[in-house]
């Protein structure tokens, strides 16, 4: 269930109340006239089944509540109410399959914004991965994958394509390109520093590395895994099962490939630099493609579900 808290101008409160009452899957409607001060108006609260949430939010925006008042949405972790159970049973489809497009757009916006924190995380992840590839240490590679925040911008690009949101696309693409560029540049300097301390060497980079050689040797499985990870990651975002994102992060080789490319570049190893860059681009392409197709499929399936439930 979702909890909605609305601030509505007094002139539109009756329209909002009628809308909520006519939406299948809503319950626990509360109206507090004149309670809001900034902006001035009435406070309207209700609970709505997740599978009915997107339709209600869209219609509230059509009434202009997002510009004349306020719409706040919270997820209810526990609701002990027979009315809530009845509302969920009446709502079409299953809550886990519903996509809240406004929530998804907002979430990807936050995760795909170029910030000091984002750049710090992707840089640290790339430096950790650099240690992993030189030492041929798979544990460090996995750790770097988990730290890397690059799935946010990738999900933002997929969302922007489906929702036709050019600003989100530009923001996500900027975060992705600038983030990797800064991370790889810093990692080149980090590699030189580690070499000066005799902790990195070209011999280590070019030695047999059975645990990490995959990061500069892309093949068909690289693309297949990226596609599967992109599907899983997108489903975890749309169904609010964020725990699955950790598994997604450690199943693709974006950050390790970027790290290997940076270290190889610092030593002038053109072969590994090109191979790692191809691995990076292949993974990025697979994730974006899979994410976009997943969102398109979800949107189509949900529209079919709504048509079946509304057709007499």
């Amino acid at each position: 269930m979702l909890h909605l808290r609305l601030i509505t101008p007094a002139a539109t409160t009756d329209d909002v109340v009628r809308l909520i009452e006519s939406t299948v899957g809503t319950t626990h409607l509360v109206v507090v006239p004149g309670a809001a001060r900034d902006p001035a108006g009435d406070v309207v609260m209700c609970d709505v089944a997740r599978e009915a949430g997107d339709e209600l939010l869209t219609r509230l925006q059509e009434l202009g509540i997002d510009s004349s008042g306020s719409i706040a949405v919270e997820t209810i972790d526990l609701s002990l109410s027979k009315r809530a159970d009845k509302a969920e049973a009446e709502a079409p489809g299953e809550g886990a399959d519903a996509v809240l497009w406004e929530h998804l757009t907002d979430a990807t916006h936050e995760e795909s914004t170029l910030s000091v924190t984002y750049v710090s995380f992707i840089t640290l992840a790339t430096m950790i991965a650099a240690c992993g590839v030189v030492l041929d240490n798979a544990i460090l590679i996995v750790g770097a994958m988990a730290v890397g925040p690059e799935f946010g911008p990738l999900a933002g690009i997929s969302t922007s394509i489906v929702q036709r949101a050019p600003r989100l696309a530009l923001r996500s693409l900027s975060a992705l390109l600038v983030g990797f560029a800064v991370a790889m540049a810093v990692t080149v300097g980090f590699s030189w520093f580690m070499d000066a301390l005799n902790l990195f060497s070209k011999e280590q980079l070019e030695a047999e590395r059975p645990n990490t050689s995959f990061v500069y040797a892309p093949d068909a499985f690289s693309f297949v895994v990226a596609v599967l990870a992109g599907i899983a990651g997108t489903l975890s975002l749309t169904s609010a099962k964020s725990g699955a994102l950790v598994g997604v992060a450690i199943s693709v080789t974006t950050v390790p490939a970027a790290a290997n490319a940076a270290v190889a570049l610092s030593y002038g190893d053109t072969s590994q630099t090109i191979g790692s860059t191809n691995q990076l681009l292949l993974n990025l392409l697979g994730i974006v493609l899979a994410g976009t197709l997943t969102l398109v499929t979800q949107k189509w399936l949900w529209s079919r579900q709504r048509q079946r439930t509304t057709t007499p």
Side-chain angles (χ1 to χ4, degrees):
M1 294 289 289
L2 303 173
H3 177 69
L4 271 62
R5 185 184 73 253
L6 315 173
I7 296 178
T8 64
T12 61
T13 298
D14 288 343
D15 292 334
V16 170
V17 170
R18 281 194 292 269
L19 171 60
I20 294 173
E21 290 177 335
S22 64
T23 301
V24 176
T26 60
T27 187
H28 303 153
L29 176 61
V30 177
V31 181
V32 187
R37 294 293 180 266
D38 184 20
D42 305 328
V43 175
V44 179
M45 294 176 284
C46 71
D47 294 341
V48 58
R50 180 181 172 87
E51 50 268 43
D54 188 65
E55 179 182 3
L56 179 57
L57 290 174
T58 299
R59 296 177 69 182
L60 286 170
Q61 289 177 295
E62 290 173 353
L63 290 176
I65 303 305
D66 56 328
S67 56
S68 62
S70 170
I71 303 174
V73 183
E74 299 174 334
T75 300
I76 301 175
D77 295 325
L78 176 63
S79 178
L80 303 178
S81 167
K82 290 185 177 180
R83 288 183 177 273
D85 294 340
K86 183 173 182 287
E88 286 189 315
E90 292 175 346
E94 294 294 333
D97 297 332
V99 180
L100 299 176
W101 291 102
E102 286 299 325
H103 177 269
L104 178 62
T105 302
D106 185 67
T108 50
H109 171 218
E110 181 179 348
E111 294 294 327
S112 62
T113 299
L114 185 63
S115 63
V116 174
T117 300
Y118 170 82
V119 173
S120 297
F121 268 114
I122 196 169
T123 301
L124 290 170
T126 306
M127 292 166 69
I128 293 171
C131 296
V133 296
V134 172
L135 299 175
D136 195 33
N137 189 316
I139 295 177
L140 291 177
I141 292 294
V142 171
M145 290 175 175
V147 172
E150 73 279 6
F151 190 80
L154 292 171
I157 293 172
S158 296
T159 302
S160 68
I161 293 173
V162 177
Q163 291 295 90
R164 299 178 182 178
R167 289 185 179 180
L168 178 58
L170 180 61
R171 184 183 299 111
S172 301
L173 191 60
S174 298
L176 192 68
L177 296 179
V178 174
F180 271 116
V182 172
M184 293 175 71
V186 172
T187 302
V188 168
F190 174 71
S191 179
W192 288 335
F193 174 73
M194 295 293 281
D195 182 80
L197 297 178
N198 293 320
L199 296 175
F200 280 10
S201 69
K202 188 174 183 179
E203 289 72 22
Q204 287 175 294
L205 179 71
E206 296 181 346
E208 290 292 329
R209 290 189 281 142
N211 294 320
T212 59
S213 59
F214 64 91
V215 300
Y216 61 86
D219 55 20
F221 281 104
S222 300
F223 186 75
V224 170
V225 171
V227 168
L228 296 176
I231 295 172
T234 303
L235 289 175
S236 72
L237 285 177
T238 57
S239 63
K241 296 185 181 297
S242 57
L245 282 176
V246 177
V248 172
I250 61 177
S251 61
V252 292
T253 54
T254 48
V255 166
N260 199 84
V263 175
L265 182 63
S266 72
Y267 284 116
D269 189 328
T270 306
S271 176
Q272 286 200 39
T273 301
I274 294 175
S276 299
T277 302
N278 290 338
Q279 178 76 277
L280 173 62
L281 295 176
L282 197 62
N283 275 266
L284 295 178
L285 175 63
I287 293 173
V288 170
L289 179 62
T292 302
L293 293 177
T294 300
L295 290 175
V296 169
T297 302
Q298 286 181 292
K299 195 170 188 177
W300 180 76
L301 289 175
W302 191 250
S303 65
R304 289 289 300 272
Q305 175 69 35
R306 288 176 58 179
Q307 287 175 3
R308 285 197 296 268
T309 56
T310 56
T311 301

